[in-house]
Amino acid sequence: MKKIAVLGAAGKVGQLMLKELARMKTPAEIEAYGRNEKPLSCDIAILCTDDPVSEVLAKELKDKAGFIIDMSAKFRNNPEVPLVIPEINADAITKETRLIASPNCTTTGLVMALNPLKKKYTLEEVFFCSYQAISGGGKKLIEDFNTEGSFYQANCVPLIGSVQPNGFTSEEMKGLNETRKILRLPSIKVRPHTVRVPVMVSHSLGVTLKAKEDFDMTDIQALFASQPGVICDGKIYTPKEAEGKDEVFISRIRRDFEDKNILHFWITFDNLLKGAALNGRQIAEYLLENF
């Protein structure tokens, strides 16, 4: 039986990963390790650690693990490391691949919605404003939020991540760079604005998409729903309905009333599942089943 080692298993991401791996249909031996522990060998190592630790572990495990899945942001922009959402670009992984990155949670929801449209339309620009849950900020932000007088209570904070020299935050730049890489659309323009909101679980995005062609509204709902892992059935979904669910939910679809090649829609999904641990588990399952 193949062995999966979860490093950083004591942390929040690591604990979620262990729960997800327990749901796998493909049998595997699961071993949990702390930040300072390492397996002698394994078939798959999943790094549930922050960027600096992931960088060190990836080097140390290079000859000990058949494949390494990194859940941090460290390798996402490395052109030699595939950034993978299995329902979209599993083919980016080959038998020679050794290191695989799992994307940012906000990007994941966005590209799951854009991917089916990419097959019919030439996507030119995507504007989005995110409404990101407190849990996306990790243990420290959750503790802050639950402290009386927290700045995040009953408030919307338009600052996630560090402000970059161009004025955008690191979270916003992830939305740009990772969307282009996953969808293999290097020229698509991504206009992001990320906001933290007082919701504990599930990220949401208000999206405006521009294509070269006019959008055909007769089959747009079916086109969204054709994407594995997406639910688009005409109902309106909020973060409460998405919490605890594996799928990405799309609703409020409407074509712009002045420009037929602009589409508006709403996305919501559990940031701790498809936005994080579930995607890592799906990558691991893909590796077990195909290599």
Side-chain angles (χ1 to χ4, degrees), residues 254-272:
R254 66 263 187 215
R255 188 169 63 185
D256 193 83
F257 54 82
E258 292 183 334
D259 193 332
K260 292 182 179 181
N261 68 344
I262 291 178
L263 191 72
H264 309 279
F265 53 94
W266 171 257
I267 305 170
T268 190
F269 59 98
D270 190 315
N271 57 295
L272 303 177

Side-chain angles (χ1 to χ4, degrees), residues 201-226:
V201 177
S202 297
H203 288 354
S204 302
L205 295 90
V207 181
T208 294
L209 176 66
K210 182 178 181 180
K212 184 177 181 180
E213 305 85 2
D214 291 350
F215 284 102
D216 179 3
M217 299 307 291
T218 60
D219 69 347
I220 199 72
Q221 182 175 306
L223 191 57
F224 275 124
S226 70

Side-chain angles (χ1 to χ4, degrees), residues 19-282:
K19 289 180 180 179
E20 279 302 305
L21 293 175
R23 299 171 60 198
M24 287 198 310
K25 296 178 181 178
T26 306
E29 180 183 350
I30 312 300
E31 295 184 347
Y33 295 85
R35 288 165 58 96
N36 299 316
E37 300 175 304
K38 291 177 272 304
L40 294 176
S41 66
C42 61
D43 296 287
I44 301 171
I46 304 180
L47 310 185
C48 299
T49 47
D50 55 23
D51 292 14
V53 176
S54 285
E55 182 177 20
V56 172
L57 287 175
K59 293 178 181 178
E60 293 180 345
L61 293 171
K62 185 177 180 181
D63 298 320
K64 297 181 179 180
F67 294 93
I68 299 171
I69 302 170
D70 183 42
M71 302 302 294
S72 81
K74 179 60 189 178
F75 301 102
R76 292 172 184 163
N77 291 329
N78 187 327
E80 297 180 0
V81 177
L83 182 62
V84 174
I85 294 177
E87 300 97 323
I88 296 177
N89 64 336
D91 62 322
I93 303 172
T94 70
K95 62 181 180 179
E96 286 78 30
T97 303
R98 287 296 172 264
L99 178 60
I100 303 155
S102 187
N104 172 264
C105 49
T106 307
T107 303
T108 298
L110 178 65
V111 298
M112 285 286 285
L114 297 183
N115 189 60
L117 301 186
K118 167 192 167 185
K119 299 171 185 177
K120 182 174 180 178
Y121 299 97
T122 306
L123 308 185
E124 296 183 336
E125 295 183 72
V126 57
F127 301 75
F128 75 84
C129 186
S130 70
Y131 305 84
Q132 296 181 223
I134 296 296
S135 58
K139 182 179 179 181
K140 288 184 178 179
L141 185 59
I142 293 172
E143 291 175 348
D144 180 322
F145 181 72
N146 289 323
T147 301
E148 185 176 355
S150 170
F151 187 62
Y152 290 89
Q153 292 180 359
N155 201 7
C156 295
V157 182
L159 182 66
I160 302 177
S162 57
V163 178
Q164 304 299 293
N166 62 5
F168 286 80
T169 67
S170 54
E171 184 77 2
E172 288 159 349
M173 293 308 297
K174 290 173 186 177
L176 167 64
N177 296 322
E178 296 180 26
T179 295
R180 287 176 170 176
K181 184 174 182 179
I182 294 167
L183 293 179
R184 296 167 174 150
L185 293 175
S187 62
I188 188 173
K189 294 178 174 61
V190 182
R191 319 290 194 186
H193 194 103
T194 55
V195 183
R196 189 75 69 189
V197 297
V199 170
M200 188 51 67
V201 177
S202 297
H203 288 354
S204 302
L205 295 90
V207 181
T208 294
L209 176 66
K210 182 178 181 180
K212 184 177 181 180
E213 305 85 2
D214 291 350
F215 284 102
D216 179 3
M217 299 307 291
T218 60
D219 69 347
I220 199 72
Q221 182 175 306
L223 191 57
F224 275 124
S226 70
Q227 171 65 48
V230 163
I231 289 180
C232 182
D233 55 12
K235 298 178 183 177
I236 294 177
Y237 290 96
T238 71
K240 284 187 177 182
E241 285 86 41
E243 183 175 353
K245 305 293 197 309
D246 290 347
E247 297 84 5
V248 173
F249 296 85
I250 301 174
S251 56
R252 288 292 329 277
I253 306 165
R254 66 263 187 215
R255 188 169 63 185
D256 193 83
F257 54 82
E258 292 183 334
D259 193 332
K260 292 182 179 181
N261 68 344
I262 291 178
L263 191 72
H264 309 279
F265 53 94
W266 171 257
I267 305 170
T268 190
F269 59 98
D270 190 315
N271 57 295
L272 303 177
L273 290 176
K274 187 53 188 170
L278 170 59
N279 196 69
R281 185 256 282 183
Q282 289 175 316

